[in-house]
Amino acid sequence: MSDPAQGASRSIAPWLWWLTLVAVAVAFSLRGEAWLRRLLIYLSGAGWARDAVTRLPLAWQAANRFVSGETRDEAMRVTRALNDQGLLVTLDFLGESVADAVQAAAARDEILALLDAIAAEGVEANVSLKLTQLGMKIDPALAESNLCLILERARRYGNRVRIDMEDSPWTDTTLAIYRALRDEHGYDNTGVVIQSYLFRSAADVERLVAEGAWVRLCKGAYAEPPEVAYPRKADTDASFVRLMRRLLSAEARRNGVYAGIATHDDRMIAATQAFARDQRIPLDAFEFQMLYGIRRERQLELAAQGYRLRVYVPYGTAWYPYYMRRLAERPANIWFFLSNLRRR
């Protein structure tokens, strides 16, 4: 027998979300893109918004532009198709901020199975993950233990695992776990992410260059206070270019740094191409990285030009926060979402 209260909640939820969309549109018109971005990031962590959006019949249809599927098999099919087009892949089982050790173990086991599948299928893919998904907020030692098992499995297959960077309160802990596993436990098959909007990133990059690290450089996709991160996009972009040049410098390459330049911004891409040409950097000495579902034609174009292009391919049922951060990174994607809803 159905629960009348649950049915009422489901009927109200779409209206709640439509009101939210109206608020988003008003925010954009009155306050501009920067304020809209902060609103969308807030919504990415709001439980009421998650419940409302995920109940909409066509919400998954819109999110599916950026998420390969809800299952590992769907993600593997997308990976094979991308490989067939000459693109590399990093796979991400979606999830973050688990509530207990049981959930952290379940995420760990799924990632272990993902590494098994990559090896069995023979696809060209590595793995990205978030430490809060492995229990970092519960106990950093729990996340470190879970990641140790994942890195051991990856090493058995000759594969690599990248630790995604989350919001700034966890930057120090993330880097500490990364270094403990690499330096103390000997797992040299792990890498880390640097976000150009953080003031601290220049110093972090200097240390990573000295260490010969495996690094992905991105702009950042969380709401950060002005004392921690650049509030203006122009400053974040300028920082991105500076950090890119340092990660691709002759010293960095001598030390063994391999950088993934993660951007969809043509200006950042052009700056990287120009620096590589000026410094005569081989095209296989670094790679561009882009998200699944964003600028697909540009991805193929760069690969056709001889650049290594890796696509970040997420999958899983916990797609809502990831999807909302993608909207925040590029608010124009909101209109894609609305166009799907209008087809109901």
Side-chain angles (χ1 to χ4, degrees):
M1 184 174 177
S2 62
D3 183 346
Q6 185 180 46
S9 174
R10 288 181 177 174
S11 66
I12 292 171
W15 286 105
L16 181 61
W17 182 240
W18 278 112
L19 289 173
T20 302
L21 289 177
V22 171
V24 165
V26 171
F28 180 71
S29 63
L30 295 179
R31 304 294 296 273
E33 186 169 310
W35 200 88
L36 174 60
R37 181 175 180 273
R38 298 187 72 84
L39 175 60
L40 289 167
I41 292 173
Y42 158 73
L43 292 172
S44 73
W48 65 267
R50 180 195 62 233
D51 292 344
V53 173
T54 54
R55 287 171 182 155
L56 291 173
L58 293 181
W60 169 249
Q61 181 179 332
N64 190 237
R65 174 181 177 177
F66 308 107
V67 180
S68 62
E70 294 191 330
T71 69
R72 190 186 325 129
D73 287 344
E74 289 172 310
M76 295 304 296
R77 283 196 293 272
V78 168
T79 299
R80 284 194 297 271
L82 291 169
N83 283 175
D84 288 345
Q85 297 176 81
L87 304 175
L88 309 172
V89 168
T90 187
L91 284 158
D92 172 31
F93 173 57
L94 291 169
E96 52 196 81
S97 300
V98 298
D100 54 48
V102 173
Q103 291 180 346
R108 176 202 66 207
D109 291 346
E110 172 60 28
I111 296 168
L112 291 171
L114 177 60
L115 286 164
D116 293 340
I118 290 170
E121 296 279 351
V123 294
E124 183 61 56
N126 55 45
V127 169
S128 293
L129 55 79
K130 288 179 172 58
L131 288 181
T132 61
Q133 185 180 24
L134 298 180
M136 181 167 63
K137 288 187 177 180
I138 302 166
D139 181 357
L142 173 63
E144 184 174 329
S145 175
N146 283 329
L147 181 55
C148 188
L149 293 173
I150 291 168
L151 289 172
E152 183 61 36
R153 182 73 57 88
R155 184 162 64 181
R156 183 192 308 171
Y157 293 130
N159 208 337
R160 285 180 159 189
V161 176
R162 178 103 60 186
I163 304 169
D164 285 339
M165 193 61 72
E166 301 178 68
D167 48 342
S168 61
W170 296 101
T171 303
D172 280 326
T173 306
T174 298
L175 289 171
I177 291 173
Y178 157 71
R179 290 192 169 100
L181 287 167
R182 189 196 60 190
D183 301 335
E184 298 171 22
H185 298 279
Y187 289 109
D188 59 0
N189 60 330
T190 186
V192 74
V193 176
I194 290 295
Q195 300 164 318
S196 73
Y197 67 175
L198 296 181
F199 297 143
R200 61 172 292 164
S201 290
D204 287 332
V205 162
E206 286 303 316
R207 186 172 175 185
L208 291 167
V209 165
E211 295 167 341
W214 182 49
V215 183
R216 175 195 299 138
L217 174 65
C218 68
K219 292 185 181 180
Y222 293 87
E224 299 289 358
E227 63 270 19
V228 169
Y230 295 107
R232 295 175 61 246
K233 180 180 182 298
D235 294 327
T236 296
D237 289 353
S239 172
F240 188 98
V241 173
R242 289 193 300 271
L243 297 177
M244 173 273 293
R245 290 173 176 167
R246 191 70 183 105
L247 289 168
L248 298 185
S249 67
E251 179 188 354
R253 287 180 283 118
R254 281 195 303 270
N255 291 346
V257 171
Y258 181 81
I261 309 302
T263 181
H264 305 99
D265 187 330
D266 278 326
R267 292 170 300 173
M268 303 299 103
I269 294 169
T272 304
Q273 292 172 316
F275 186 76
R277 283 194 304 270
D278 292 345
Q279 300 299 311
R280 299 183 179 179
I281 301 172
L283 296 189
D284 62 357
F286 68 98
E287 64 188 40
F288 286 111
Q289 297 186 0
M290 293 188 180
L291 299 172
Y292 176 70
I294 299 180
R295 304 209 67 189
R296 295 167 181 168
E297 296 80 7
R298 188 68 167 123
Q299 294 173 14
L300 294 172
E301 181 182 79
L302 287 168
Q305 293 171 358
Y307 294 98
R308 292 169 61 86
L309 193 293
R310 189 175 302 274
V311 183
Y312 188 100
V313 176
Y315 76 97
T317 58
W319 50 264
Y320 170 79
Y322 175 85
Y323 177 55
M324 292 302 292
R325 285 199 295 270
R326 299 297 73 78
L327 294 182
E329 286 177 339
R330 190 167 181 267
N333 287 327
I334 294 172
W335 312 120
F336 175 85
F337 181 83
L338 289 171
S339 67
N340 276 274
L341 292 180
R342 282 198 299 268
R343 298 190 189 109
R344 292 183 67 190

